Amino acid sequence: MILTGCVNVNGEQAVEEATPKAIPPISISRGINLGNWLEAPEPGDWGVMIEPRHFSAIREAGFDSVRIPVRFSAHASAHPPYTLDPIFMDIVDEAIQQGLQNGLYVILDFHHYEEIMQAPQEQAERFLAIWRQLAERYHEADDNLYFELLNEPHGRMDDGCWNDLLAKAIGEIRVSNPERWIIVGGVDFNHIDALDEIVLLEDERIIATFHFYEPFKFSHQGASWVENAAQWSGVQWTGSEEEKQAIETVLDEATQWSRLHGMPWLMGEFGVIAKADETSRQRWSAFMADQARQRGIAWIYWDICGEFQVMDCGTGKWDQSLLGALMGGR
Ligand code: BGC
């Protein structure tokens, strides 16, 4: 384990244990990310506005959960006590309520905290203060509200920093929410391999998450936020044995990890940009959802109406073929 500047309090606990453990069951099985909405700098900046009608459509389509990415860092003061903006928080309250009222599990995800990726130690106090406020605000909310600590740690947020910070954040949350499910992923943008470096805590209500976009040149072809992605236009996913095997191997590893540690796990993001050819996109999505289902991995598709969209949020129309591909096993 490489440490660059952050204290790793419990590093030695990361050593693997040998005996498989019972995995506590979780109720989430298939969901959708409400991406590009509350994690844009301001809601609406990235062209997505989610309304009550979308929540009922999500439920009717057969999803059981929504992940709501929120850029809390853009709505909290820069100085202690780092107060969250009450007007913005009304929008978050309403989003959570809409999800819960529609019978959906709701994952509240702290997304796009770019400053902490560059300066983990300087931002740690602010991160913890924001979680303290969120935990207090929602401590009486339905159990079907789950918290996700931080989307895709990367940059200077290495294993050492992250293990230190996640333990402290969970400590803050547990003061007011002793039983709530908390979702935690590894560094390197929630890469599956980074799960091995997470220091496991004595806490029965933690779910491990990973994100999966492989082959990346296929899923992210033409993505404006990824360097050189314009050159990948036209990359297909044909569903050859080799392509399938590459995915199955990784998912098998995830399954092993979960069994070894007795921790439920979740594929919190996966998807293909809408610029990819339709057939490849459906084929990959159907295969992924099916492979996850076979291994009992809960999944959350990225995303509803953003660049990986499965719905046109304006008209409320689903891409029925892609939806069908995801829901194949229903
Ligand atoms: C990022 C989004 C991005 C998506 C696919 C998410 O974790 O936050 O901005 O669109 O991954 O790359």
Side-chain angles (χ1 to χ4, degrees), residues 26 28-33 61-67 107 209-210 265-270 285-294 296-302 310 322-330:
I26 54 168
I28 291 179
S29 72
R30 53 195 180 193
I32 191 150
N33 275 283
F63 294 101
D64 61 21
S65 44
V66 285
R67 178 170 178 259
I107 298 172
T209 187
F210 64 92
W265 74 134
L266 168 75
M267 185 159 66
E269 285 187 20
F270 76 110
S285 303
F287 183 71
M288 285 301 300
D290 187 51
Q291 290 297 311
R293 219 167 1 246
Q294 284 182 30
I297 307 177
W299 54 258
I300 319 270
Y301 182 78
W302 182 277
V310 64
L322 183 55
L323 183 64
L326 290 168
M327 298 302 198
R330 69 170 144 187

Side-chain angles (χ1 to χ4, degrees), residues 33 35-36 39 46 67 69 71 109 111-112 114 151-152 189-190 211 213 216 219-220 223 225-226 269-271 273 302-303 306-308:
N33 275 283
N36 286 16
E39 100 275 13
W46 290 350
R67 178 170 178 259
R71 193 188 291 241
D109 151 47
H111 213 91
H112 280 324
E114 301 304 341
N151 181 65
E152 299 191 346
F189 298 90
N190 288 153
H211 293 176
Y213 288 105
F216 196 71
S219 70
H220 278 69
W225 61 99
V226 178
E269 285 187 20
F270 76 110
I273 200 161
W302 182 277
D303 62 337
E307 310 228 21
F308 290 54

Side-chain angles (χ1 to χ4, degrees), residues 35-49 69-76 85 88 91 111-112 114-115:
N36 286 16
W37 177 33
L38 300 181
E39 100 275 13
E42 290 295 333
D45 278 4
W46 290 350
V48 174
M49 288 300 274
V70 186
R71 193 188 291 241
F72 289 111
S73 52
H75 304 280
D85 172 8
F88 179 73
I91 301 174
H111 213 91
H112 280 324
E114 301 304 341
E115 306 92 308

Side-chain angles (χ1 to χ4, degrees), residues 159-171:
D159 293 317
C161 294
W162 183 221
N163 278 324
D164 184 39
L165 196 56
L166 75 86
K168 288 178 179 154
I170 290 171

Side-chain angles (χ1 to χ4, degrees), residues 269-318:
E269 285 187 20
F270 76 110
V272 180
I273 200 161
K275 287 176 178 165
D277 90 77
E278 220 179 305
T279 313
S280 289
R281 197 172 172 235
Q282 285 163 22
R283 201 185 275 135
W284 184 90
S285 303
F287 183 71
M288 285 301 300
D290 187 51
Q291 290 297 311
R293 219 167 1 246
Q294 284 182 30
R295 291 166 178 78
I297 307 177
W299 54 258
I300 319 270
Y301 182 78
W302 182 277
D303 62 337
I304 187 164
C305 304
E307 310 228 21
F308 290 54
Q309 63 179 221
V310 64
M311 179 200 260
D312 177 326
C313 272
T315 62
K317 285 214 172 77
W318 292 103

Side-chain angles (χ1 to χ4, degrees), residues 49-219:
M49 288 300 274
I50 302 292
E51 298 166 20
R53 66 191 165 105
H54 298 118
F55 286 92
S56 47
I58 289 167
R59 181 69 190 160
E60 279 160 26
F63 294 101
D64 61 21
S65 44
V66 285
R67 178 170 178 259
I68 309 181
V70 186
R71 193 188 291 241
F72 289 111
S73 52
H75 304 280
S77 53
H79 304 287
Y82 307 110
T83 309
L84 284 161
D85 172 8
I87 295 170
F88 179 73
M89 288 309 296
D90 284 347
I91 301 174
V92 177
D93 289 354
E94 173 65 15
I96 293 172
Q97 275 318 311
Q98 283 297 329
L100 295 174
Q101 278 166 16
N102 280 283
L104 296 161
Y105 296 93
V106 174
I107 298 172
L108 187 65
D109 151 47
F110 195 156
H111 213 91
H112 280 324
Y113 193 170
E114 301 304 341
E115 306 92 308
I116 206 166
M117 308 305 173
Q118 305 317 319
Q121 286 166 307
E122 290 81 348
Q123 293 289 325
E125 188 188 314
R126 186 165 182 254
F127 176 73
L128 296 172
I130 291 175
W131 267 118
R132 196 176 312 130
Q133 292 171 72
L134 294 173
E136 283 167 8
R137 189 177 189 99
Y138 298 120
H139 77 282
E140 288 185 335
D142 194 285
D143 292 347
N144 293 349
L145 172 67
Y146 295 16
F147 290 156
E148 182 170 340
L149 287 187
L150 183 64
N151 181 65
E152 299 191 346
H154 62 273
R156 294 186 60 213
M157 184 66 83
D158 59 20
D159 293 317
C161 294
W162 183 221
N163 278 324
D164 184 39
L165 196 56
L166 75 86
K168 288 178 179 154
I170 290 171
E172 288 289 354
I173 292 170
R174 286 292 177 239
V175 173
S176 50
N177 294 253
E179 300 274 306
R180 193 170 300 288
W181 282 108
I182 299 176
I183 300 174
V184 184
V187 300
D188 198 11
F189 298 90
N190 288 153
H191 197 282
I192 201 161
D193 292 343
L195 284 175
D196 271 338
E197 304 303 328
I198 287 185
V199 174
L200 302 173
L201 305 173
E202 290 292 320
D203 189 316
E204 302 266 293
R205 307 281 286 178
I206 294 182
I207 299 170
T209 187
F210 64 92
H211 293 176
F212 193 91
Y213 288 105
E214 299 301 328
F216 196 71
K217 289 183 180 175
F218 164 61
S219 70

